[in-house]
Structure formats: structure tokens, C-alpha cells
Amino acid sequence: GAAEVDDGVLRIGVILPSGRDDMSWSQGMYEGVSAVVANMGAGNAQMAVTENVPNPVDAGAAIRDYANQGFNIIIAHGSQYQNPLMEVAADFPEVTFAHGTAFETSSNIFAYDPQAQLGAYLFGWLAAQMTNSQVLGIVGPVRAGDAIKYNYGFIQGVEAANPSVRVLESYTGSFGDNIQAKEMAEAHINARADILTGTAQQVVGAIQAVSENDGVYWFANDTDQSPLAPNSIIASQAYSWETVVQYMVDSHMAGKLGGEIISLDLTNERIQLVFNPVLADLVPADLMAQFESKKADVASGAIQVRLPE
Amino acid sequence: MSEFFQATVLLGLLTAGVRLATPFLFAGLGEMLSQRSGVLNLGVEGIMLIGAFVSFFVAFESGNLYLGLLAAILAGAFMGLLTAFVSVTMKAVQGISGIGIHILGLGLSGLFFRLTMGSISTMRGFPRLAIPILKDIPVLGRVLFNQNWMVYAALLLVPISWAVIYKTTFGLKVRSVGENPHAADSLGISVTRVRYICVVIGSIMASIAGAFLTIGQHEAAFVNNIAAGRGFIAVALVYFAKWNPLGVLAGAFLFSMIDAFQLRIQIIDIGIPYEIPVMLPYIVTIVVLALSTRGRVLGPTALTKPFVRGVHT
Amino acid sequence: MSAIKKSVPSVQSIELRSVTKRFPGVLANDSVSLSFESSRVHTLLGENGAGKSTLMHVMYGMYAPDEGQILVNGSPVHFRSPKDAAEYGIGMVHQHFMLVPSLSVLENIVLNYPSPRWPFLDLAAARERVVAMSNEYGFGIDPDAKVWQLSVGEQQRVEILRILFRDASYIILDEPTAVLTPLEVKEFMGVLRRLVADGHGIVFITHKLNEALEISDKITVLRSGKVVGETTPCDTDKNQLAGLMVGREVVPTWQKRGAAGEKVILSVRNLSARNNKGLRALNDVSFDLKEGEVLAVAGVSGNGQKELAETIAGLRRIDGGEILLGGSNLAGLDVKQRIDSGLAFIPEERMTMGVVKEFSLIENVILKSHGTPEFASGIFLRAKKIRDSAVQAIKDFDVRTPSADVAAATLSGGNIQKVILARELSSRPKLLIAAQPTRGVDIGASEYIHKRIVQIRNEGVPVLLISEDLDEIISLADRVLVLYEGQVQGIVPPSTPVEEIGLMMTGGNTHYVVDGCEDSETPPTTH
Amino acid sequence: MQLRIWNRNVLVNWGVPIAAVFLALVVGAFFLGLAGANPLVAYRSMFYEALGTRYGLTETVVKAVPLLLVGLGICIAFRTGMINIGAEGQMIIGAITGTAFALSFPGLPAPLLILFSFLAGFVGGALYGFIPGILKAHLNVNEILTTVMLNSVALQLQFLLLRGLMMDPQERAYGTGYPQSASIVEAARLSRLIPRARIHSGVFIAIILAVIVFVLLWKTTIGYRMRAVGKNYDAAVYGGIRVKRYLVLSMVLAGGLAGLAGTIEVVGVHYRLLDGVSAGYGFSGIVAALFGQLHPLGTIPSAFFFGALLFGAERLQRSVGVPSAMVHVIQGLVVVFVVSSDYLTKRFLQKRVDVGFKRLRQEGVAAPEELPLQGRSHE
Ligand SMILES: Nc1ncnc2c1ncn2[C@@H]1O[C@H](COP(=O)(O)OP(=O)(O)OP(=O)(O)O)[C@@H](O)[C@H]1O
Ligand SMILES: Nc1ncnc2c1ncn2[C@@H]1O[C@H](COP(=O)(O)OP(=O)(O)OP(=O)(O)O)[C@@H](O)[C@H]1O
Ligand SMILES: [Mg+2]
Ligand SMILES: [Mg+2]
């Protein structure tokens, strides 16, 4: 049974598929929740994290655990958690559950959906202008989920800017094999790509390869990854999980426990394109200005970025 | 397609193949020695992870890569002693004890990473070291002699292993212990000691293979489970090699070249799902072995069989 | 060459004082006191499991004695490993050969021997000495051959060379003649005499009493780990020794009855096959085996006997020819189908092929029959029937065991052979192939096995007996087929002089082809 | 008397490994301490949560089911002498084929749908086990190599299908593109046993199969032959057993059971195929089987024990806040200690047999009558 703890403290439980220090998907959410909790103050909010649970069985146990322990908001940060989440949510109508990238909701379930393709489009557009070799590279993990959305957006951006620029696209077949991602990046660079991009925690390896090679740059996704390679990362598309979490906290406190798909996009600024100040000189001012106007177009919908089918 | 055959791409392919083969060479040659003495060490993957973490951590904290390597060697020796204790002294079922060592290595490397470093950090690893003169040999020079010294060391270990096994008194002991431990024992060779030595050396080499994944990269970083199955492949390659150092070299190169090749096949996009190229190295390895194996393979007869004096198996 | 020759002290005497050695649940040596001298052959006799090998392993440093002392040249020594014993000049040829098959002769010889070029091997220096020694004793061994390519007799010579190479002055030989043919035994005895003449001391373990009587200076009999008698050849005879070994008198309790029948049961025609090395091992072999007949195959080890048995049993592919059992060709049948058509086979490799050592005796007894309607209905085993029948068979065949449920591995060699016999004979076979059925088996058990073989022969079952023991062949056979280099040298009556059979075994004589000659009624020879 | 011996054997058989587990936990306590947790509190919570609460118990069972099924296959394979490291891959393939069937015939009546889905899963895993089996039997290709490599191949096959043919149409429509299949219909799902818990009727299937595998291995000709092949290949050939057939069969059955585990995970827990369905059970199942002495009935308690261990240890990060890697540290220690203890178990049991021989010797053989002898006699 649910051990209701009624001390007025808001408890948030987070379940992460990889480590909270993965420099990408999981770390982003971890930092987002941490920031919200810190803002609210320890007396008002607390968080607990279960990490490295790629498989839904353990995640299911964790979700139910948190519910049983009287957590108020439970965030299962992965598409694969949909089933266990729906199941537990039915048993705990007073608790708010959240998951994503996802679309299934119910009265006490939020789904969140980062529109990865938007920033990707803009990065693709920019990369196509900046490349010297006219070759770009995408280091993919598994061709699914976030990765295809992102990659598809990137390619559209390139085409919009300069159809003659080639985009090399390939996949390691794994989410976490850094060494393989590194080799794949090397293969791209070897094939003359001079700007690369990619998603998932494996990109740490690819970014290493990029920073080993002079004149090769990287567009990042998930979080601001520039600390990983300050001299190679031009910009990052960072999901502002903090605002998403804050939104859910506010809703929860206001009595709205779920029933909404929360989009992360440019309009609501839950997606932020963070340029690396170290490489500020790399993007000429006029190009940057064009970029900003493109960004406005994408945000407003004047430019439609398609999703893969 | 034609662009694929450009010189730079081919050179890149070969260079990547050599680089990818390096951890397999270290771990595979070590495993071969261990198996030659009669011990199947299936825990290579876990030991690699420990080597990868320990070397990175120590190098990162001390700023000295060689200190990191030394630490990996010590950690590998420790894991080797543990493996030998379980497999040789306690006569455990080696297939299972190896899985235990693997899981333990996975856990310990992840645990200590979190407890000590806590987040992903990067540092400079061993730099490329072009060998004068040799590096100017056309093609081969750039492929073979413009890598970091760990790559050279791995390549050098092939003839060294060969010489140790076939040309030294120690190698003769190892072969006899793996083939007929009762015979070795009857001549006063300590089967236990030889096996301990081989397992420990093998584990040290697995640990160095792990270190190659971190500090052996120009840009070094440790992430959880960085070995990503390479340790198991290394064990598999020993069977491919039929317990011969040159076979390990052949197997490591076959696997790695196909891997490097499939990465490039994907890039030129020939319109097949990328999963097929990703599977390629595994499938080709199986097929090559199936085609090259005829009749009974003469492996170390006592492989996986614990030795008990007077009990003939 | 002299660089690698160490100086090893010469053993004048070795004394064991009240040596006791226990294994879990077994008292292998019970306060044994014995003394050994140089230039003497000291023979140890005893049943399987009497503790002979264990005692020698203690003397050779493989086992530390639980109690007691070893003295070399009068002063106590403490061996921690065989290496220590070797340093005192003690060498041993083990019952199970201690060679590494994949290594060359030279590599086997220098194994764990100090190399002048340490850490590298120095085979060149060793080669000279090995060749010289090999020539001195007339061994004719190619130092670069791989051991697996050698015949058993040659392997034994490699073992002896290895000991001599290490300058051992005291040599323990554990059942060296068990694997040798009469001719080889004769040569071997010559080697022993030479060694003794050179001042070496010898311990000789055997189950063959006439060998003991022929060569020994002193004979000690062990039983259940204790010394039960010590004597010299002049003071004793075969019967007395046999009695001493088994604790009762050994008299043959069997008698061949009646002549062999006329009906041909097994007919082998122009059979050819290869050995494990891919070389031709059987060449155009033809013979008939008749109802109620023991056809013994004699030959020097490695001349195709093993391959002959295996091709008939279906364990080896034939290259040509046919095998007819009761008129129908076996060639297309696999092992199972041959078993089903009534073929029983006692294999030479008792421990590695004859039984599944980890299986219980019951499970071993049903190895071939578990699928028959008697023991299985559908795929289900009929546990009770199996147990009843197996326990009965184990009793019938006098297997000494505390229970039918113990693993076969825990039994002595002789008892394991009885388990195999129980399995093969209780299936009421149409044909029995018995390969080396009593090799390494003590007198008591041998006698029992002979009795059983003759019994089924008397019942009309033909037996193909493969043996390297000419005594056994002459006493059991109705006809003797001599194989040499995979070819039939001749088929002769057992009354043929032993020397002539011996000559044929080495390919010396082929005029003795007398297939189909009259069956002789030889009285059993007493041991 | 008979009973006492049996009891003592059971005591040794279970007592030694349990003592080994205890030692492993003692060593694990050191690491817990390093990670800043009070080991006693941690272990208490670990076992209490896994075994002392209704919810924990049910989750333990949820994990035990695939462990048991995989473990049963491992019992068969290892007993036949095949070191099957490929259960991960076989499980994935079984999950694919089982799900594919359930998705393709949603209209079938529930019992048939479930039965045939199981069958499909079994067949899928069996085929995937067949490959290393046939390669070993006929071409002598080492099965460790093939099964290790085929695990990676299965994973890629799974991705290939999940982002293509088998991807949930909704994922496509919505553009989320997560690699998972559509949900299977209600009728294809195994019933849940109690509300608010995932424990499902697959547990009965697994236990029934354990009994069946036990009967197969010890009460049938097939099992007898497989065990004979595993213990002594040459003797099996000599005994007329068609060894190649049984080598292949053992891998087919092992693969089939792993495949069934995959399907049961889908129809009992996830209701769809998704990445991570094998969840390391392919490796943990090997350990569970060994802990159960490679005996199907022994594997039942052993699978539950490891289910509890995995669940309890995974929970440590929530209950006492240690890093998630602690799960593997504890699991690894337990495996290492348990395999090491196996030898001690055998030694203890060996003693019992030897004592039997000693009695025999004392009763009969060791009472030889004296015979007259010239020369010296020592008796
Ligand atoms: N390593 C061992 N472990 C346990 N028991 C052993 C071991 N070696 C020998 N034994 C037991 O000790 C006893 C003496 O065995 P040993 O080998 O010395 O007999 P043996 O006289 O050489 O017999 P055989 O004529 O068969 O060679 C037997 O009961 C045997 O089972
Ligand atoms: N190796 C064997 N040893 C003993 N009995 C066997 C063996 N193989 C089959 N049998 C049994 O012999 C009978 C006839 O067998 P059959 O000739 O059909 O062989 P099979 O088809 O090869 O056997 P199976 O299909 O059981 O493997 C059956 O009762 C079968 O169980
Ligand atoms: Mg002996
Ligand atoms: Mg049949």
C-alpha cells in the first residue's frame, strides 16, 4: 500500500536508462530535476534517482517502489518505460507520472516529446554553410527514436541550405559503445567530413575523435556538451528539462496530475541552442544573423520540418 | 562506390583496422597463453573494464600516463590472481567463473568510477608516435608506423608470444601443462604455478587491452562498460586462432578489418539496412572458422579441466 | 653436450620405513617398510589397488607420505616434488605414460630440464646426447618425431630415454610390460639387464608372474596396502606368488568344451581402413569367424588390431571391403544398428571409452540397452526394471562395490572391466569383440574374465579376441590370426610354437597360411 | 539410515553454496561501506524488500521466471557438454518470433493464441540454438565462439525488425520512432496473479517445465543419452548413441527454452517487443543453473534466489543510495564464491562414497587368509 507521507514535501522520483553522468539524455534530466528541487529548497522538495536501468523490468519495479513510498511525481525518462508506467499509474491515481519521448497519456500521466528535429534542422542548415569539404557526417547509435528525428531534421536543414553538400549517415548499432562511435567518426573524417553530429551517450567517443582532428567540428544534442571538447563543439541543442519539470510540478500542485503531451520546442524555449563561446569567432556575424532569422521561422512554423515516416 | 577505393579511404580503412585490432591482440594473446596452460578465462571482458578504469583514473589523478598503465598492470595482476584462485585452486567450472569475473569487473569499474570521478572527464592519452624512416614506407608506413606506441607493442607481442611459446623452456612447460598436466607434474613442474603465471599474465594483458581503450586513445575518457563486448570477442578469437599467436593476429585483423570496412560501407550508403553491415564481422568470423575447421581441432587437451594429481581425465 | 650433463649422485640404496599413505577413505599404503639396492631388479607384485603405484609415487616425490620416512644412501630425505627425487637420481616410468603427445620426442625429453641457453630451449645440444643414448640401447628413436606418431613401445623407450637423460641411477618401472608384445618384452628384458649391468637399480612392477620370476633379484608382494611377503625367484613359484597376491589359490576354473562350429558368423572380406593419422592401417584383411570359436588376433601393438576392432564395431570408416555378420553386410550400419544386430565389444580404452566414469554402475550397465523395449517404454526409462537387471548383472559378474549407485570412476581397473563385461555379455550377443580384455588387470580378475569369455564361447558365441599377451592367446584361442602392418600374416593353430608366431608378428614369415586347419583342443595352460 | 545419508547430502549440496553466498555478502559489505552505506542496513533492506514484502516477493518471482527458463536450457546444454553462452541471443529471437505470432493472429481465441505464441517463441529460440549446435556437431566449430558472436547478431536483427517491419505503427504515426512493437492484444497476455503486481501465470509454466526437463534428463532415453554425450563423448559414440544428433538437440532445446523465456517476458510482462527484453537473463540464467547444480529442480530455488538477489540489489540504490553498479558487484561476488564452493561440495560428497568403500574393505576384502610361504612373511 502507499505509505502516504504528508509532510508537505514534494518528492520527485526519477528513473534513468543510463548513468546520470552520461553527458547526454540521462544527465540532462538529472540536472533539470536537481535544479527544480534546489530552487524549491530542501524543505519543500526532495528527489531520488534510479539510474542505469535500460530494461523495463527493473524500471517497473522502481516506478512502483517510488509510488509505494509516497512519491508525488515519478518521471520515467525513456520510451521503453511506457508499459510499466501505465500499469502503475492506474494503481496510484493521486500520483503524477511522466515519461518520454512518448505520446501516451492519462489523467495522471504526462508525456513529453522533445522536437529534436527542429534544432537539428538549424544545425544542418548552419553546417552546410560552414563546411569546407562539402561533406558532413552523422554518427548514429541505433536508427530509432530521438536519433532518427534528429538526423532527419539535420539532413533537411542541409538540403535547404545547399543540396550539393553530402551528408554521410551511419550507425554503430549500440547506444553506449564509445569506442565504436569514435571509429565511426574517424571513418567520416577519413571520408573528408569536417563537421559531424550525432546523438546518444556514445557520442562522447565521437566527440573525442573530432577533437583529435584539427579543423573538424561537432554539433551536439541533448545537453550542452561543450565542456567535453571546448575547441570542437560549435553549438549544442540542449533540452531544458528544468522548465519541463517545473511545469509538471506546478501542474501537480495546482491539481492537474497529467493528461497532457508536453512538447519541447523552440517556441516554448524548452529547446535551447547553446553556442560555445570559445568558438564564437567561427561563425561570422552575418551567418549568425541569418541563423537567428531561420530559427525564428522554424519556431513560428514558417519553415516546416518534417518528421520521418 | 568508386570513391571508396580512393587511396585515402583505403589507407584510413587499414589504419582503423590496425587500431581496432589492438585491444583484441593484447587480450587475445593473453587469453591464448592462459588457455595454452589449460585455463579458460571467460572473464576477460570484466578485467578489461577494470584496466580501462584504473589506468584512466590513475593517469588522470597523477597526470602521468605511464603510472596509469602501471596501475592497470597491477589491477590486472590482482584480477588474474583472483581468477587463478577460483579456476585453478578451487577448480571451479571455468565457463561460469569467468562470467562471475566479468560481472564483478563490470560492477567494480562502474562503482569506483562513480565513487572517485563521478562524471565523465577527458584527458590526453598516449600520442601518435611516428617511427622515423619506417613511417615513410609507402602505404604500410602510414598504416603501421604512425600509431601510438601501444599499437606497436601489441604487434610486437605477436612474435614475442610465438617465441615464448615455441622457443623457451617456459613455453614448453606451458604447452605440456595444457596438454598433459600429469606428465608435467610427474617431471616436477608445478602445474598450479604454471597456470597461475599464465592466468596472471593473461589477465594483465586483458587489463592493458582495457587501458588501450582509455589512455591508449589520443583523447582519453572512461565511460561505463567501455569494453562493450570486446573481451568476449577476444576469447572467441582464440578459438579462431587455434591457439596460435599468428592465428590471433589473423583473427584480430580479420574481425577488425571487416569492422572498419563495414563502418565505411555504411557511409557510402549502398542501400541496405545498416544492421547488416554491423553484423558482418560476427558472421564472417563464424563462417571463416566453419570453412577452415576440418575434423577435430587439436586444442590444449586439458583446457577447462582442473588438475588433480592421480586423477586422470 | 657435457655442458648440460649434470652430476647426479648415484643411489646405492633406498629405504622406506613404515610408509603410510591415505586417500580419502582409502588406506593405500599401510606402514610399508622396504629396501632397494643398486644393480638389482626388485619386483613388486600385487592385485589391482594393492598400493604398488602409490608406494612408488611416494618414493618418487609425487605424494608425501602421511607417516614414515624415506632414506637414500642411509640418510633421510624429504621430497616435495618429483623434481627433488630426480635430484637424488630417482626416475620413474609411469603406468599411464607421462608424455605430451603433441610435442616432439626431444621436447618431451628436455621438459623441465635445465637448458644451457635458458630461458631459451636448446634442442640442438640435447639432440646429440639423445641420439647417442638411443643408439647405445638400440632404441632407434627419431628425436624429432611427434610422440603421437610413435607406437606404444616406442613411447615407452622415450620415457626410459628421458630418465637416462637425467642421469637417474635408480629407475622405477610401473607395469612397463603390460603394453608390450612378447618380442618387445624380450628386448625390454635385455634393456633391463643392461641397465642393471651399468649399475642402475630397478623397481619393476608387473602382473605377469613369469616375468617376475625371470628377471627379479628380489620379489615383494603387496596386498591391501601391506607387504605380505618378500622372496626371491629361487625360493618361490608362480602358484605361490599368485596365492600370496590374492589371498587364495588361483586355479583356472574354466574349460573349453567342444570344437568350434562350422557355421560362419562373421565374415570379413578385403577390409581396408586408415588410422587416426590418416595412414593405411588395415590392408585387404579377410577372415571368417565361426560359431563357438575364439579367433585371437596377435600382433605387435599398432599393427592394425585397434582399427580392426573399431571398423567392425562401426567406430571407424572403412575404405574398402565388407563385413558380413550372419550374412548381412554391416558396412552401411552405424554403431547403434550394429549393436542392435548383436555385436558386443569390449574396447581397449577401458577408462576413456568403455565407461562413462561419472555415471553410476547401473547407468553404465545400460549404456547400450537403455533404449530397448525391456528398459524403455517409448522414451521413458523403466527405472525399476533397469535397476533390478543391472544390480543382478553386477552381482553375476562379481563386481566388488559397496553399491550399484557409485560412480564407475571409483572402481579399480579390474572391477571396471567386469562392469563392461557385465554390460556386453548380458545382452546375449551374437558376436563378441574383446580387445585387450585383461591388460593391466590382476591375476584374480584376469582369471575371471577368461572364464566368462570361454563360457560364452562354449555357448556358441564367436569371439574375436585381440591381445598382445601370447599366454592369453594360446590358452583361449581356437585359431590365431597374426596381423602385421595391417595385413594378415597367417592364421595358425594355437599349438604353433610361440617363436613362430612371434616371427610372424614381425613380418618374418608368411608360409604358415593355414586358414581352415583343424581346430586344436588345447588344454588350458596354468599360470 | 538411507534417509540420513540423503539428508546429509542435501545439507552439503545446499549448505556449502549458501555459506559461499554468505561469504560473498561479507566481502560485498566492504564495498557497501566504501560507498557510504551501512552494510547491515543495506542487506537487511535488500532481503527484506525482496522477500519480506508482498510486492518484493512478486517482483522476485517476475525475475525468477526468465532465470528459471534460461537456466533449464543451460542445464540441458551444459549436461550435454555444450557451453551455451548464447541464451541472450536465443531469448531475443524467441521474443521476436513469439511477438510476431501474437501480433499476426490477434483474432485467435486466447488459449490458442498464447499456446501458439509460446510455440513460436520456442521454435525461434530453437532455430537460433540449432546454428551453433549444427556447426559444432558437424564442423566442430567451437560453440563459445559462435554463441558469443550470435548474441551480437541477434541484437542487430532485433533492431532491424523493430525499426522496420515490426515497429509500432503508432510510433511511426506520432514520429517518436522508439524501437518497439505494437502492443499484443489482451487475449495474448498471460493473466496477472494478484492486483498491483506483475507476477503472472508464467511462473507455473516455468515450474512445470522444470519438472518436465527433470523428467527428460533423468527419466528418458533422450536425457540419458544427452548426459552420456556430455560426460564422455567417446563412450557415447561407442555406446551407439547418435552423438551429433544429441549435441544439436541439446542446443535446440536450450535455445528453445531461452526463446520461450523471451516470449514469456513479452506476453507476461511487457506486452510488446522492445529493446532490452533479454535484460542480461541470458547470463544470469547460466549462473542460476549452476547454483542449482545444473539440476532442473535445483534450478527452481536457485532462480528464485537470484531473482531476489537481483531485485534486492537493484533496489539498494533507492533504499540506501549506493551507485547502481553495486548490483553487479554483489552479483559478481556471489557467482565467484558459489562456483568456487562447488569443489568443496564435491569433496564432501566424495568422502561419503569413499567411506562406503572402506566399509566394504573392512567387511570382506581386507580379511585375507594366510598362505604358506617360503621366505619372509611380514604378516
Ligand atoms: N589419487 C588418488 N586419490 C584417491 N585414491 C587413490 C588415488 N590413487 C590411488 N588411490 C587408491 O589407492 C589404492 C591403491 O592404488 P594404486 O594405484 O597404488 O594400486 P596399484 O597397486 O598400483 O594397482 P594397479 O595394479 O591397478 O595399478 C586404490 O584403492 C586406489 O583406488
Ligand atoms: N543410442 C541408442 N541407444 C539405445 N537405444 C536407442 C538408441 N537410439 C535409439 N534407441 C532406441 O531404439 C529403439 C529404436 O530406435 P530407432 O532405430 O528408431 O533409433 P533412432 O530413431 O535413432 O532413435 P531416437 O529417435 O530415439 O534417437 C527406440 O526405442 C529408441 O529409443
Ligand atoms: Mg598401479
Ligand atoms: Mg526413433
Side-chain angles (χ1 to χ4, degrees), chain C residues 151-404:
Chain C
S151 73
V152 185
E154 286 171 320
Q155 292 186 17
Q156 189 172 64
R157 280 171 241 156
V158 174
E159 292 246 24
I160 294 173
L161 276 180
R162 177 156 78 186
I163 290 173
L164 296 176
F165 187 82
R166 283 154 206 253
D167 298 322
S169 53
Y170 203 85
I171 300 177
I172 303 164
L173 298 151
D174 195 351
E175 295 192 33
T177 54
V179 292
L180 301 182
T181 55
L183 213 76
E184 285 178 311
V185 171
K186 224 170 161 181
E187 285 172 16
F188 178 79
M189 293 298 179
V191 171
L192 281 196
R193 290 197 181 93
R194 280 216 52 182
L195 288 169
V196 171
D198 289 349
H200 291 88
I202 306 276
V203 177
F204 175 52
I205 299 177
T206 184
H207 287 292
K208 293 174 188 155
L209 302 179
N210 43 4
E211 289 173 3
L213 292 170
E214 178 188 339
I215 191 96
S216 314
D217 295 299
K218 190 153 117 185
I219 299 174
T220 299
V221 181
L222 289 175
R223 183 170 3 124
S224 298
K226 291 197 185 72
V227 174
V228 292
E230 215 168 84
T231 182
T232 63
C234 327
D235 294 332
T236 188
D237 61 27
K238 269 183 170 184
N239 281 330
Q240 193 193 28
L241 285 175
L244 201 53
M245 279 165 66
V246 296
R248 63 178 162 80
E249 212 169 336
V250 182
V251 279
T253 52
W254 51 269
Q255 173 91 54
K256 279 206 283 187
R257 263 193 308 272
E262 277 311 309
K263 193 170 149 211
V264 173
I265 306 286
L266 177 77
S267 178
V268 170
R269 293 273 151 261
N270 311 101
L271 188 66
S272 301
R274 284 164 207 281
N275 61 18
N276 288 344
K277 299 155 205 169
L279 308 172
R280 176 61 55 92
L282 287 180
N283 204 348
D284 213 18
V285 169
S286 300
F287 62 87
D288 284 337
L289 179 52
K290 296 173 189 154
E291 201 175 15
E293 176 186 50
V294 175
L295 176 63
V297 178
V300 179
S301 165
N303 274 279
Q305 301 95 312
K306 185 168 131 75
E307 287 79 9
L308 177 63
E310 289 180 356
T311 38
I312 298 174
L315 295 169
R316 184 175 293 277
R317 265 226 313 271
I318 63 171
D319 275 357
E322 50 187 18
I323 304 166
L324 303 166
L325 179 61
S328 62
N329 197 347
L330 290 182
L333 305 186
D334 67 10
V335 181
K336 159 107 195 328
Q337 290 161 324
R338 293 180 202 214
I339 292 168
D340 290 347
S341 52
L343 190 142
F345 176 30
I346 299 169
E348 184 178 335
E349 294 91 349
R350 193 174 306 153
M351 298 301 241
T352 55
M353 188 186 263
V355 290
V356 180
K357 284 196 285 186
E358 295 88 345
F359 272 15
S360 71
L361 302 189
I362 293 180
E363 286 177 304
N364 270 299
V365 169
I366 60 163
L367 181 63
K368 291 180 173 178
S369 56
H370 65 274
T372 58
E374 191 189 349
F375 295 135
S377 52
I379 62 164
F380 292 99
L381 295 168
R382 303 168 71 174
K384 176 137 174 40
K385 279 225 134 167
I386 288 173
R387 168 169 292 273
D388 291 349
S389 156
V391 166
Q392 191 57 46
I394 287 166
K395 266 209 199 96
D396 288 350
F397 282 82
D398 192 30
V399 179
R400 311 264 170 89
T401 173
S403 141

Side-chain angles (χ1 to χ4, degrees), chain B residues 86-104:
Chain B
V86 174
S87 301
V88 180
T89 305
M90 298 310 284
K91 308 185 196 309
V93 182
Q94 291 170 12
I96 317 290
S97 60
I99 290 176
I101 298 282
H102 157 55
I103 299 173
L104 188 62

Side-chain angles (χ1 to χ4, degrees), chain D residues 107-173:
Chain D
L108 283 181
L112 278 187
L113 183 52
I114 292 181
L115 187 70
F116 282 117
S117 301
F118 281 174
L119 222 63
F122 186 91
V123 169
L127 286 175
Y128 213 58
F130 176 77
I131 301 171
I134 197 93
L135 287 176
K136 168 78 172 193
H138 290 278
L139 292 172
N140 205 10
V141 180
N142 183 277
E143 76 277 13
I144 295 181
L145 179 134
T146 36
T147 50
V148 162
M149 301 261 166
L150 285 175
N151 283 342
S152 301
V153 174
L155 194 66
Q156 294 308 317
L157 266 176
Q158 173 211 275
F159 281 134
L160 179 62
L161 289 169
L162 280 184
R163 68 175 189 83
L165 269 180
M166 286 181 78
M167 188 191 269
D168 185 354
Q170 271 190 288
E171 289 285 339
R172 223 178 280 266

Side-chain angles (χ1 to χ4, degrees), chain C residues 48-49 51-54 95 174-175 205 207:
Chain C
N48 294 125
K52 308 179 293 291
S53 298
T54 304
Q95 191 169 358
D174 195 351
E175 295 192 33
I205 299 177
H207 287 292

Side-chain angles (χ1 to χ4, degrees), chain B residues 166-170 172-173 175-176 179-180 182-189 309-310 312-313, chain C residues 60 62-63 82-83 94 96 98-100 102-103 107 110-112 115 118-121 162 357:
Chain B
Y166 294 109
K167 295 290 164 198
T168 68
T169 55
F170 174 72
L172 188 60
K173 285 184 198 174
R175 283 184 285 154
S176 69
E179 193 81 43
N180 187 350
H182 297 283
D185 179 62
S186 78
L187 291 173
I189 295 171
R309 183 174 286 172
H312 291 257
T313 39
Chain C
Y60 182 57
M62 277 178 79
Y63 297 131
K83 214 171 172 178
H94 298 260
H96 308 263
M98 293 295 189
L99 296 170
V100 184
S102 67
L103 302 185
E107 285 175 320
V110 302
L111 185 54
N112 208 29
S115 161
W118 189 91
F120 294 100
L121 292 167
R162 177 156 78 186
K357 284 196 285 186

Side-chain angles (χ1 to χ4, degrees), chain A residues 19-23 51-52 141-143 166 168-173 176-180 182-184 186-188 190-191 204 208-209 211-212 228, chain B residues 3 8-9 12-13 16 19-20 113-114 118-120 122 124 128 213 217-221 223-224 226 228 230 259 262-264 266-268 274 278:
Chain A
R20 63 176 180 232
D21 50 10
D22 69 350
M23 278 285 173
E51 59 185 329
N52 283 320
V142 168
R143 189 169 179 174
R166 276 197 66 189
L168 310 175
E169 184 187 5
S170 61
Y171 296 84
T172 59
D177 190 344
N178 281 48
I179 300 293
Q180 190 73 352
K182 181 172 184 181
E183 281 304 329
M184 179 156 281
E186 290 283 355
H188 284 299
N190 189 215
V204 174
Q208 281 173 264
S211 71
E212 268 177 39
L228 271 179
Chain B
E3 67 196 294
T8 56
V9 176
L13 175 84
R19 198 167 46 225
L20 283 166
F113 175 58
R114 176 57 56 78
S119 67
I120 296 171
T122 57
R124 278 286 141 125
R128 287 211 181 111
L213 299 179
Q217 310 287 313
H218 189 61
E219 278 288 319
V223 301
N224 267 325
I226 192 170
R230 287 178 182 77
D259 199 12
Q262 70 87 5
L263 291 173
R264 284 156 179 82
Q266 283 195 49
I267 287 176
I268 58 169
Y274 76 89
V278 173

